[in-house]
Amino acid sequence: MNFLRGVMGGQSSGPQPSGAETIQKLCDRVASSTLLDDRRDAVRALKSLSKKYRLEVGVQAMPHLIHVLQTDRSDSEIIGYALDTLYNIISNDLEEEEQEENSQKQTEDLGSQFTELFIKQQDNITLLLTYLEEFDFHVRWPGVKLLTVLLKQQGPQVQQIILVSPMGVSRLMDLLADSREVIRNDGVLLLQQLTKSNAAIQKIVAFENAFERLLDIITDEGNSDGGIVVEDCLLLLQNLLKNNNSNQNFFKEGSYIQRMKPWFEVGDDNSGWSAQKVTNLHLMLQLVRVLVSPTNPPGATSSCQRAMFHCGLLQQLCTILMATGVPADILTETINTVSEVIRGCQMNQDYFASVNAPSNPPRPAIVVLLMSMVNERQPFVLRCAVLYCFQCFLYKNEKGQAEIVSTLLPSTIDATGNSVSAGQLLCGGLFSTDSLSNWCAAVALAHALQENATLKEQLLRVQLATSIGNPPVSLLQQCTNILSQGDKIDRRGSKVQTRVGLLMLLCTWLSNCPIAVTHFLHNSANVPFLTGQIAENLGEEEHLVQGLCALLLGISIYYNDNSLENYKKEKLKQLIEKRIGKENFVEKLGFISKHEFYSRAAQKPQPSFSSPDHMMFDHEFTKLVKELEGIITKAVYKSSEEDKQEEEVKKSLEQHDNIVTRYKSIIRVQDQELEELKKQVESIKVQNEQLQATVTQQMSQIQQHKDQYNLLKVQLGKDNQHHSSHGDVAQMNGVQPEEISKLHGEIEEWKHKLELLQEQLKERDSLIESLKLSPAAGGTTTEQSSQTNKPSGPDVDRELYKEVETLRAQIQSQSTDIIKLQSEKQELLQKLSIAPVPVSGDDGTIMVAKTADLERRLSMLLQENKELKNEIAAHGEEKASLKQQLDSSNSTVAILQNEKSKLQKEVAESKKEQDDLLVLLADQDQKIIALKDKLKELGEPVEDDDELESGDQGEEDEGDDEDDEEDN
């Protein structure tokens, strides 16, 4: 530090010598000092001197500073000082004091020379790129600034070095992701310089996700309300997209057009726009125009136009167009942007025709814009923008042209006068006293007739009322009347502008329309006026009028159908030769293409003029002049014999064209028929292939069914030997083991249910036994038992109750029989007891024994009766169960037989389908043979199936022989 104080203190002895000496000492210190602190202090001192002693520091210190960058990478502070010093040396952003002392040219040369010295070694740029990867702010920010100024000074050379450097552009793209806004914003400025006029770098930057990052920055900054960062991002986007079709396509396919819509969302209150917002919105509109510029390839432009319509961007622009309070320059640029978005796109043009201004009553936007165009109080640039918008609306839009012309026709004019139409505005501007309005209206009307012969003929019907009491005149006649009056009418603006506009309208109207030429020549004053204008020797400002008059007269000759006797082609050419001279006529015709205004207008479709006086030619009209100039020159120089020969040649050519057209139509029809036949053949081939595939599939299915059937037959034979009970089951085609096990499970379940029912039946039998035994004691007990058993009825189900009642009735009948027998027994006993014959003791005992024997026999009969009833009941239950099993077996057999019949039916249907397919294939073969015959008749080469079949047969025979040999 003491050394630095001593060096810096030495500057007081004289500005120039002390400065040079100090710089020399500092350079020696940087080169020779071994301590890093001393080198860092010396570089810091050079940085402080680099602005005032720029030349000396640059000449003496640059090699040392580059050496510091190469060797002292580990110390970020000295690297930052070295980068700042180099930036001060190379940059031309001088202070005000130094700008007064040195001229701007010298400073620019100095910065350029130092840049050449720095980039002479390409490794220096590569080294600088490596420092941009450092995250340290004191290294990365000076590096960004230094690379930016190098690109400003020697852009193409530095771009080439970065382009060949590995990952050079990718390193620079990382600057956009830096969280520090200063570095990010300067990175945007660096990329602006890097992408200027270099398509290769533009593509690399675009594919490094630049669009996504830049649009994110614009959104984060507030879109059009953002600051200068938004402006820088928009300028970078313009560099990437302008005249770069690849990037434009990538921008569209990446759906980035949709992200532009929020840029143009404006509120109801549009007062008080800041200057930065106006600048941002202006650049945003220019970016939209870059995507739909007429100079882009038509396919790319139309795809962008459609995308802008579908995402609502066009609708948003039309909202700005009709909004109030929008600044004039933004409104003008919006009109120009809408113009190019709708130019040549039918969908967008139809939408624009439907847009209405927010007025009461609503008016179409086209009408409102035309009112501005013919209003001389509106700014000149705004009127030019409206004219461009009208031209773009009518460009390749026959529907729009017809709508504009229809507003001039008598049948569509509003008789009430409540609304103003586009046609009325154009006529009003055409005949006003403002020359600029005359020119704009004439050009607009000419665009309504562009390349549309039908509308040119319809416009001849338009009649105008000039004054009260005078008959109406046609629009064509009124145009020629104003043209012939020339400077007699007092007009505001250019003297020749009105006549140039009317002449352009008449030339467009008459070109390629012989009927309009006839109407024009029918007025006897028109030809003398034109020849008089061409023949006069007028000033230079009248040269344009003379050239356009010559063009109009030439159109009247070339498109003349010789329907007027006095104005046939030959007579008009004789008139030119006598009054003007052919050479003079051609010279005056050449005044148009040689004029400066013609060259300017031919460059681009948009009318852009520095002042109203320069507004002379329209872009589309320059195309017409270029097309007709040579044709008219040839037509004027041709003699009558050449004209006759040309007419004959035209007639023969027309005849030849008619013949060619007729043959072309025949060939076209034959081509269509041939194409249809080819399509039919292709469809038949496809059907044939499908049918063959279907036949193959059916054959495979039939084979599968056969295999399954044979397998089932084998299984059925085995099952009949071992399990006769399952014979019917084995006949079922396609039954799987899972289904058989399922059936076995169901049988077991039914067996279990049968056992349960048998147990319930035993319980019921026991209940019946108890009911039978209870009435044996007598009728009283029977009645009691019936009374006691009745309350238990609700505990059993209804069916059991009914069965008990029937059994009870049987028991009741048996008990009555028993009572009868007992009554007979009592009667016998009474007879024995009251008999008069005495009975001995032995007889009494015998009688008692007999009675007891009868009672015993009776009880045995009752017991046998009971056992017989039980056996009958058991036999009935067994019969019912056997019947149930028989029914289930019969149902199973029926199901199996049904399945067997179904399978047999399917096999029969498959055979029938196979027969049908064979018939179809025979029919298809006949059709194919017929189509091949037709193709042979038409001369198309067709391979003979016989040859193919013979070849296939030969192969099959060889294959059969080989099989026979193998078998032997």
Side-chain angles (χ1 to χ4, degrees), residues 266-267 269-278 281 320 325-327 330:
V266 296
D269 185 15
N270 294 316
S271 59
W273 285 25
S274 64
Q276 187 62 55
K277 181 175 182 178
V278 172
L281 202 55
I320 298 177
V326 178
I330 294 298

Side-chain angles (χ1 to χ4, degrees), residues 69-238:
L69 294 178
Q70 294 171 347
T71 57
D72 293 329
R73 188 185 183 93
S74 59
D75 187 67
S76 60
E77 192 173 357
I78 192 173
I79 295 298
Y81 293 148
L83 292 172
D84 282 331
T85 307
L86 289 170
Y87 171 77
N88 293 335
I89 294 169
I90 295 172
S91 176
N92 288 326
D93 300 332
L94 303 177
E95 297 179 356
E96 294 181 359
E97 297 178 358
E98 202 157 346
Q99 284 181 355
E100 293 175 359
E101 296 176 1
N102 301 314
S103 66
Q104 187 68 23
K105 185 177 180 181
Q106 291 176 346
T107 57
E108 288 179 359
D109 291 342
L110 193 60
S112 179
Q113 290 172 5
F114 283 135
T115 302
E116 287 181 0
L117 287 174
F118 186 82
I119 67 174
K120 191 173 183 180
Q121 296 294 329
Q122 295 186 5
D123 294 340
N124 295 338
I125 299 294
T126 307
L127 180 65
L128 184 57
L129 290 174
T130 60
Y131 280 114
L132 293 182
E133 293 180 340
E134 297 289 336
F135 187 74
D136 194 328
F137 180 81
H138 297 289
V139 175
R140 198 172 201 183
W141 188 40
V144 171
K145 293 193 296 181
L146 176 59
L147 189 56
T148 304
V149 74
L150 289 172
L151 285 165
K152 285 182 180 179
Q153 297 294 343
Q154 297 289 340
Q157 292 87 336
V158 179
Q159 285 175 343
Q160 193 61 32
I161 296 171
I162 294 174
L163 191 60
V164 299
S165 176
M167 300 296 290
V169 179
S170 299
R171 293 173 183 173
L172 301 181
M173 287 300 301
D174 293 338
L175 298 172
L176 296 180
D178 200 304
S179 58
R180 294 159 295 191
E181 291 189 0
V182 176
I183 295 178
R184 183 199 67 184
N185 299 342
D186 282 351
V188 174
L189 297 175
L190 169 60
L191 290 172
Q192 278 185 30
Q193 299 297 326
L194 181 66
T195 55
K196 278 185 178 179
S197 305
N198 193 308
I201 293 179
Q202 290 169 2
K203 291 179 183 178
I204 296 173
V205 171
F207 282 95
E208 288 283 346
N209 207 20
F211 294 139
E212 184 77 27
R213 295 181 183 182
L214 292 173
L215 292 173
D216 287 341
I217 294 173
I218 292 172
T219 303
D220 295 340
E221 293 291 328
N223 294 328
S224 60
D225 293 322
I228 196 170
V229 180
V230 174
E231 178 182 350
D232 294 336
C233 290
L234 292 169
L235 289 172
L236 177 54
L237 285 172
Q238 282 193 21

Side-chain angles (χ1 to χ4, degrees), residues 554 557-558 573 630-639 643 646:
I557 294 172
Y558 185 73
K573 286 195 283 187
I631 296 173
I632 291 172
T633 303
K634 291 180 181 178
V636 170
Y637 275 106
K638 284 179 183 177
S639 62
D643 284 337
E646 187 177 354

Side-chain angles (χ1 to χ4, degrees), residues 574-686:
Q574 292 175 1
L575 187 64
I576 290 174
E577 189 172 1
K578 289 179 181 179
R579 297 191 178 181
I580 305 170
K582 292 182 180 180
E583 292 78 7
N584 191 22
F585 177 85
V586 173
E587 182 184 359
K588 297 292 177 65
L589 183 62
F591 284 166
I592 302 174
S593 57
K594 294 177 182 178
H595 204 280
E596 179 186 1
F597 296 155
Y598 176 89
S599 303
R600 291 180 183 176
Q603 292 175 359
K604 56 181 180 178
Q606 182 183 0
S608 57
F609 306 99
S610 57
S611 68
D613 293 338
H614 295 167
M615 203 172 193
M616 290 295 174
F617 284 112
D618 172 58
H619 178 75
E620 292 296 327
F621 182 74
T622 60
K623 295 181 180 178
L624 181 66
V625 172
K626 188 176 181 180
E627 176 185 351
L628 294 177
E629 185 176 6
I631 296 173
I632 291 172
T633 303
K634 291 180 181 178
V636 170
Y637 275 106
K638 284 179 183 177
S639 62
S640 59
E641 294 180 357
E642 290 176 347
D643 284 337
K644 290 179 181 179
Q645 291 177 358
E646 187 177 354
E647 290 293 331
E648 292 176 358
V649 170
K650 281 185 178 179
K651 289 180 181 179
S652 63
L653 287 174
E654 288 177 359
Q655 293 176 358
H656 181 267
D657 290 340
N658 292 332
I659 295 171
V660 171
T661 305
R662 187 168 72 254
Y663 278 113
K664 281 183 179 179
S665 63
I666 294 172
I667 293 170
R668 192 178 298 110
V669 172
Q670 290 179 348
D671 287 340
Q672 291 176 356
E673 292 177 354
L674 187 60
E675 287 296 326
E676 291 177 359
L677 288 173
K678 286 181 179 179
K679 290 179 181 178
Q680 290 177 5
V681 170
E682 290 296 328
S683 64
I684 289 170
K685 286 182 179 178
V686 172

Side-chain angles (χ1 to χ4, degrees), residues 352-368:
F352 184 69
S354 65
V355 175
N356 289 323
S359 60
N360 193 14
R363 288 178 175 173
I366 297 173
V367 173
V368 175

